[in-house]
Amino acid sequence: MPLAAALPMALAAGVALLAAFPPYGRWALAPVGVALLAAATHRRRLRAGAGLGFLAGVTLFAPLLEWTNLHTGYLPWLLLSLLQAGYLALLGAAGAWVSPLADRWRWGWPALTGLLWVGQEALRDRTPFGGFPWGRLAFSQDTSPLLRLAALGGAPLVTFAVAFTGGLLLTAAWRDWRRPAGQWRPVAALAAALAALLAAAGGVPTGVRGGGDTVTVAIVQGNVPRLGLDFNAQRQAVLNNHVDATLKLAAEVTAGTRARPDLVVWPENSSDIDPLRNPDAGARISQAADAVGAPILVGAVLLGPGAGQVRNAGLLWRPGTGADLDQLYTKRHPVPFAEYIPLRRIARMVSAEVDRVRSDFVPGERAGVLDAGAVTLGDVICFEVAYDGLVRDTVTGGGQLLVVQTNNATFDVAEARQQLAMVRLRAVEHGRAALMASTVGVSGFVSPDGRVDGATGFNTAEVVVRQMRLGDGSTPATRAGVWPEVALAALAVAALAGAAVLRRRREVAPG
């Protein structure tokens, strides 16, 4: 393809991929973006393929991650966007590299495309500093029939299916249309394969695995006085907002206008005053728990264990007895350059903004499995919902209900909706009802088939109460764990090696 055509196609690929994600939600454009990028890089030199992939990556990630610059300036947003675009540059180079395979086995092109995307995401999800899985193809499919495939192989299988679909579109379109005779037959076959894929995905069963008991859960979204990084300068007001909202809920329960909850969930950062060390903060939370007559899962910032260290925690606070230190989850994956600063001295040379993070958050060591009495919770905090293993550990550890505590006060509604899309995938993946509790929104409940109920507005104070059905079984995805991704990534490596062999044979062939 002429470079003059490949450049706008790579740009269009990034736009199509972006439009697939919330808040736009045009999930069907994700395979189109995959097909456009694969077409642009096919048969190109490696450097050209990498450049086209990078162009598509910047077009996707710069606007997708725009919420990171709302209160921290342009530099962190720019660096993060360029870093993520670099992985699509590797994908573009890989697409160019495997072109001989696609040309030799044309019908294998869709699978080849899917494998490369899974391999790219597997690398991006883990590097550097634990990776940043935002923008995975799977997370664009929250309203797609392909979402149900998460119950079989998790996010990697959904990504593979999206990219495979893109490969089908590409294989159907990549032909000499100047000779239309007979072209309709392969196109019809590929269209039939696409229809079969969507039908098969839509037929994958989802829902509660085992269990059957129900619990009544309340999400308290207390809101903050003002959005921005200085929300924690308003920490007393934020705590008061959540206490007062819970007291109002308790009054409605007493009046008989609301059902009494078995559990109340507060979001991340709902008490940035350490309630274990500050008696006034602890007393206020006890007041709320005693009034509502149910345990409260509090999102708290706890001091220690060492000097200059803090923990981002989910802490169960029971009526009558207060903090239950046996039911405490410490976030296992603090966000680099936001909750802790790796290579601080070097990072300071890039931007003095790193010194806003005065105390490094230390990671926890165990999965967020918390016994709340009526229900065993699988708790993860904020961005942890994007990481496959962190969520799965809570389910294999006995979690009956998935809980995501988050604070979106430093971001915007687009980020919150992108995060809710991840919660929807996790609910389907593990056959568990789930919820997301945010300080400012969007909060909501998610059924095991991915449907959202009781979604709140953004930058509002709301309390939502729902009955949720518990699950105790496991899906094929839960049982398989990381192995579907390992298998697909290994096949991607094998494809790259196979392309190397084919290229070598071409180089040494006579003539």
Side-chain angles (χ1 to χ4, degrees):
M1 179 174 295
L3 188 60
L7 283 170
M9 287 187 73
L11 186 66
V15 172
L17 290 169
L18 173 65
F21 288 91
Y24 313 106
R26 305 294 187 243
W27 60 265
L29 289 177
V32 174
V34 169
L36 288 172
L37 180 58
T41 60
H42 187 57
R43 296 177 182 164
R44 307 214 78 88
R45 295 181 182 274
L46 294 186
R47 283 183 296 178
L52 292 166
F54 187 76
L55 176 60
V58 170
T59 307
L60 165 63
F61 286 111
L64 184 71
L65 303 177
E66 186 182 13
W67 43 265
T68 61
N69 77 16
L70 294 178
H71 306 287
T72 60
Y74 288 101
L75 185 58
W77 163 62
L78 179 62
L79 292 176
L80 181 60
S81 299
L82 293 177
L83 174 64
Q84 299 306 298
Y87 289 93
L88 260 66
L90 293 177
L91 176 66
W97 178 256
V98 300
S99 296
L101 284 179
D103 287 335
R104 185 164 183 175
W105 294 286
R106 181 60 58 89
W107 287 91
W109 205 352
L112 190 59
T113 305
L115 294 175
L116 293 182
W117 271 92
V118 173
Q120 173 265 141
E121 288 188 358
L123 183 63
R124 186 166 67 85
D125 298 350
R126 292 167 173 82
T127 59
F129 307 113
F132 188 66
W134 219 269
R136 297 168 75 178
L137 287 182
F139 296 152
S140 69
Q141 302 297 298
D142 57 321
T143 58
S144 161
L146 298 178
L147 181 69
R148 288 174 168 261
L149 293 174
L152 300 180
L157 183 59
V158 178
T159 285
F160 176 81
V162 174
F164 184 90
T165 302
L168 286 175
L169 297 176
L170 174 61
T171 307
W174 192 278
R175 56 192 67 256
D176 188 355
W177 292 102
R178 295 170 299 180
R179 301 175 181 177
Q183 297 286 17
W184 65 270
R185 293 186 181 88
V187 172
L190 291 164
L194 176 58
L197 173 62
L198 293 174
V204 174
T206 61
V208 174
R209 309 289 168 169
D213 294 338
T214 61
V215 293
T216 302
V217 182
I219 297 174
V220 174
Q221 179 179 301
N223 208 10
V224 300
R226 59 187 179 275
L227 299 174
L229 277 180
D230 65 339
F231 75 90
N232 56 5
Q234 319 157 60
R235 53 190 182 178
Q236 185 63 61
V238 175
L239 174 58
N240 288 340
N241 284 354
H242 288 85
V243 170
D244 293 342
T246 306
L247 293 176
K248 181 180 179 181
L249 169 63
E252 293 172 345
V253 170
T254 301
T257 57
R258 290 248 205 182
R260 183 179 300 279
D262 299 299
L263 172 70
V264 177
V265 180
W266 287 5
E268 177 191 27
N269 297 122
S270 49
S271 180
D272 274 358
I273 305 172
D274 186 344
L276 301 181
R277 301 192 183 214
N278 187 300
D280 292 337
R284 289 239 66 193
I285 299 173
S286 290
Q287 178 189 10
D290 294 345
V292 78
I296 300 175
L297 181 62
V298 179
V301 173
L302 307 179
L303 302 178
Q309 294 179 327
V310 289
R311 291 166 289 162
N312 192 347
L315 171 62
L316 205 66
W317 207 279
R318 299 187 186 275
T321 58
D324 186 346
L325 298 182
D326 291 329
Q327 306 304 321
L328 168 67
Y329 169 61
T330 299
K331 187 176 183 180
R332 292 198 288 165
H333 196 299
V335 180
F337 303 104
E339 293 178 312
Y340 77 100
I341 305 298
L343 310 173
R344 184 181 286 268
R345 184 175 300 176
I346 298 174
R348 189 181 292 116
M349 296 177 185
V350 178
S351 173
E353 293 292 318
V354 298
D355 289 329
R356 280 177 175 247
V357 182
R358 297 184 180 89
S359 300
D360 287 336
F361 283 79
V362 295
E365 297 179 350
R366 65 181 184 89
V369 181
L370 306 175
D371 182 2
V375 54
T376 300
L377 305 177
D379 186 30
V380 293
I381 297 177
C382 199
F383 288 3
E384 288 187 320
V385 69
Y387 295 88
D388 299 344
L390 296 180
V391 180
R392 179 179 180 269
D393 286 350
T394 70
V395 178
T396 57
Q400 301 170 302
L401 172 68
L402 298 179
V403 174
V404 180
Q405 296 176 283
T406 187
N407 172 32
N408 307 108
T410 57
F411 306 125
D412 62 13
V413 67
E415 183 272 346
R417 294 197 179 280
Q418 290 162 17
Q419 200 168 30
L420 184 60
M422 301 177 196
V423 180
R424 298 177 73 172
L425 183 139
R426 299 307 180 194
V428 174
E429 179 180 12
H430 298 294
R432 293 289 190 276
L435 65 89
M436 186 166 93
S438 169
T439 47
V440 298
V442 176
S443 303
F445 296 92
V446 180
S447 62
D449 61 2
R451 290 177 297 172
V452 177
D453 183 31
T456 63
F458 190 75
N459 198 17
T460 61
E462 297 189 45
V463 176
V464 191
V465 182
R466 292 289 188 277
Q467 274 199 337
M468 306 192 75
R469 190 170 297 278
L470 305 181
D472 291 318
S474 60
T475 63
T478 307
R479 293 191 293 271
V482 73
W483 290 110
E485 184 179 39
V486 169
L488 293 170
L491 288 173
V493 173
L496 294 173
V501 172
L502 199 57
R503 284 172 171 270
R504 179 61 179 167
R505 286 178 179 174
R506 287 186 175 185
E507 289 176 1
V508 301

